[in-house]
Amino acid sequence: MRTYLIAALLLGACADQAATTGEVEVSEDGDGGKADSAGELSLRAGDTTVWLTQQIERRAGANGTQYVLHGRASRNLTYGNAFIADDPFGDFEQKTARTFEVTWSDDYALMLTSGTNQFVGVEFTHSSSRPDNLTARVQLRPRVLSSSGSSKIYVTAELTPVVVSGETVWRLKAKTTVPNVGVVANSGARTYAATGDQNVTIDLQKDQLFSKEPLVITATLANGTTVQRRISLGLSVKRFGLTTADAYDTWPQPTCTTARTTCLRALGDSALDTASCGEALDVLACQGQVGVRVDDVAFQAANTAAHTRTGSADARADYAALAGADHVEQLQGSLEQTIQAALEQQQGRWYLGTPARDSVFTKLVDGAIASAYAHPVDLVEPHTAVPGNVDSERQVAADALLAYLAQQDYLRSEFGRSYDDLVIAYRAQHVASLKAFRETIVPELYPGSTTNDVLIGDWLGAHTEITIDKATGEATNVLVELD
């Protein structure tokens, strides 16, 4: 672990003595570096030393998970407070004469991960030769706390907040020791994909930073083998400053510089990734000087265009196959609500230009439609089983097939792709398979059984059977036969 210490003298805090400021910054830790955040960071200003633990403790509190910064000083404390822009932020608690804690809830800690300055003011027992007040500036950063698995995957310790596709994401840099043909990172319900020769980046969204589930990185190497690395994330101090001067003058809010404006404009109005021009807070300072925001006019236009797609005759014909002729209106309505909710989340977001903004709109709509084709039963009510009714058996069978497919890991099958990717690649065939089950396949008595029917068809060319219990009309088994 490398740290950089910067010391500077600033003028004019007190009449009797010059203000002093110290700063320490923890490096990103180069490729393959191992996070070591068990120790303390220390600074001295005004003949007073303050120590902070580098790693933020995560613990269970009365109202949920808490994140705790532990600190201590070389003098007795009389008062302390935690704040941002003159507003209280975080709970300051003096633990002993010289130790203290600052505690945040999940939501508050998350607000600090993009680089916002958390200030901690402390007061000491009066001294004639030393200042009675100091202010600490703390910036937090998500960080790899532990990792295990294949040595063929290296990761940097630090995640950097950057702006991509109009939102702040946290970028993890990774590298494979040999060329790869693709990298997938799974954390909870989300999946992130990155490809590259050896260097890859994985962008996590805010709801994944504090996930209790590990981040699992799977790389497919050029020789066809797959390797994995499991990562646990936590919070750590990135920057720590201590001053006897005015904190806002010492650490002002970022401003949009000419150099940054030039950099952003050079990316072009179709660019979505602004990381090359700086971290999130620095780049976002240029809103209003570069690019466009998503306003109500843009939202309404995108929503109207999406409804044109989802309400077309061809789309509605597909809905009948995907969810059943009796669920067409429900599927269309649910899909349109999903799209509208996704587009509403874009309100107020900032992009470098209208081409960038519109490409995100298209991606959101395409993604919602693709999900509806792969998981239509998530958007409609399930069909009620009616014993002895042929049409009911068909609908129940198709619903059961969709539920089964959604649970399969086809990445490790002869298909070599996820179920969702298969539906995107072979959408027409997927729809045709479901249409056959819902409309034309005739239930047959299961061979050797008097209590079960079976519907036999195919899904993407793979022999498929769905067994129906004649007494209940419910599906009891699904078979998609792969070689």
Side-chain angles (χ1 to χ4, degrees):
M1 175 70 59
R2 303 186 302 274
T3 60
Y4 302 99
L5 183 63
I6 307 165
L9 289 178
L10 303 178
L11 299 176
C14 304
D16 296 331
Q17 52 187 188
T20 58
T21 298
E23 292 187 355
V24 62
E25 178 176 342
V26 180
S27 76
E28 180 181 281
D29 207 355
D31 289 346
K34 180 181 179 182
D36 178 13
S37 49
E40 291 181 314
L41 303 174
S42 66
L43 284 174
R44 189 169 179 82
D47 291 330
T48 305
T49 303
V50 174
W51 295 265
L52 296 180
T53 53
Q54 185 181 337
Q55 183 174 326
I56 304 301
E57 179 191 1
R58 179 175 179 168
R59 70 187 182 195
N63 298 313
T65 303
Q66 294 180 334
Y67 293 85
V68 186
L69 170 69
H70 297 275
R72 59 190 179 97
S74 60
R75 297 164 58 191
N76 288 352
L77 297 161
T78 59
Y79 175 77
N81 67 323
F83 60 97
I84 291 178
D86 291 329
D87 293 322
F89 196 96
D91 296 323
F92 182 98
E93 182 180 1
Q94 184 173 337
K95 304 300 290 185
T96 68
R98 295 189 176 188
T99 65
F100 62 89
E101 292 179 352
V102 178
T103 304
W104 304 278
S105 65
D106 270 354
D107 291 342
Y108 276 64
L110 182 60
M111 293 172 66
L112 296 173
T113 56
S114 60
T116 300
N117 287 331
Q118 168 74 66
F119 294 113
V120 181
V122 286
E123 295 182 7
F124 304 98
T125 302
H126 177 66
S127 169
S128 60
S129 61
R130 294 174 293 182
D132 293 344
N133 305 282
L134 291 175
T135 304
R137 186 276 294 262
V138 180
Q139 288 185 345
L140 303 185
R141 187 63 56 86
R143 200 169 182 87
V144 175
L145 298 184
S146 65
S147 66
S148 61
S150 174
S151 61
K152 294 184 182 298
I153 303 176
Y154 291 123
V155 295
T156 54
E158 182 177 295
L159 281 73
T160 305
V162 296
V163 177
V164 179
S165 297
E167 66 176 331
T168 299
V169 296
W170 286 261
R171 177 160 292 175
L172 175 67
K173 295 179 182 178
K175 181 178 182 179
T176 54
T177 57
V178 296
N180 71 77
V181 295
V183 175
V184 176
N186 300 294
S187 180
R190 291 186 179 272
T191 299
Y192 307 89
T195 59
D197 182 25
Q198 284 182 245
N199 295 301
V200 298
T201 58
I202 298 166
D203 292 340
L204 300 183
Q205 293 177 309
K206 60 184 180 181
D207 60 341
Q208 292 305 298
L209 295 181
F210 298 154
S211 173
K212 294 181 180 179
E213 298 294 326
L215 179 69
V216 181
I217 301 175
T218 303
T220 302
L221 306 181
N223 62 8
T225 61
T226 60
V227 292
Q228 285 190 333
R229 194 155 193 88
R230 296 171 65 87
I231 292 171
S232 294
L233 300 176
L235 273 182
S236 183
V237 175
K238 168 64 176 176
R239 296 182 181 90
F240 167 35
L242 187 67
T243 186
T244 61
D246 183 278
Y248 300 128
D249 291 340
T250 307
W251 298 290
Q253 291 295 314
T255 58
C256 186
T257 63
T258 300
R260 204 172 311 281
T261 300
T262 301
C263 179
L264 291 170
R265 287 178 175 154
L267 293 177
D269 57 10
S270 297
L272 295 173
D273 189 336
T274 67
S276 61
C277 293
E279 294 186 6
L281 283 185
D282 296 322
V283 167
L284 290 173
C286 289
Q287 295 179 92
Q289 298 185 43
V290 180
V292 298
R293 284 185 177 274
V294 177
D295 56 17
D296 192 60
V297 173
F299 161 72
Q300 293 293 349
N303 200 41
T304 299
H307 281 211
T308 299
R309 291 179 61 184
T310 56
S312 70
D314 287 345
R316 287 175 60 83
D318 285 352
Y319 301 157
L322 293 166
D326 55 338
H327 284 359
V328 169
E329 301 296 337
Q330 188 179 3
L331 180 55
Q332 181 181 340
S334 296
L335 173 56
E336 289 175 351
Q337 289 177 7
T338 300
I339 291 172
Q340 180 171 324
L343 293 175
E344 285 175 344
Q345 292 295 315
Q346 291 290 308
Q347 290 273 24
R349 284 195 182 173
W350 168 72
Y351 292 93
L352 292 180
T354 53
R357 179 198 67 194
D358 292 347
S359 70
V360 171
F361 287 167
T362 299
K363 183 178 180 180
L364 289 172
V365 175
D366 287 348
I369 291 174
S371 181
Y373 272 72
H375 308 278
V377 293
D378 290 347
L379 299 176
V380 299
E381 295 293 328
H383 285 90
T384 301
V386 180
N389 183 285
V390 171
D391 185 62
S392 173
E393 288 194 9
R394 286 172 172 159
Q395 305 310 316
V396 168
D399 289 352
L401 174 59
L402 285 162
Y404 170 85
L405 293 170
Q407 298 175 5
Q408 302 310 301
D409 179 13
Y410 288 122
L411 275 171
R412 293 171 178 81
S413 73
E414 65 183 65
F415 286 128
R417 305 187 197 186
S418 70
Y419 167 61
D420 291 76
D421 287 342
L422 287 168
V423 172
I424 292 172
Y426 303 104
R427 177 177 292 181
Q429 195 172 350
H430 171 69
V431 170
S433 296
L434 290 168
K435 181 180 177 68
F437 275 104
R438 292 202 186 275
E439 299 180 7
T440 61
I441 294 176
V442 178
E444 306 172 14
L445 193 63
Y446 195 92
S449 172
T450 60
T451 59
N452 294 308
D453 280 341
V454 62
L455 286 83
I456 301 174
D458 75 89
W459 181 73
L460 303 191
H463 178 80
T464 302
E465 298 180 1
I466 299 100
T467 305
I468 303 291
D469 185 316
K470 292 171 66 68
T472 65
E474 299 284 358
T476 58
N477 188 58
V478 176
L479 169 67
V480 178
E481 195 172 75
L482 302 181
D483 294 335

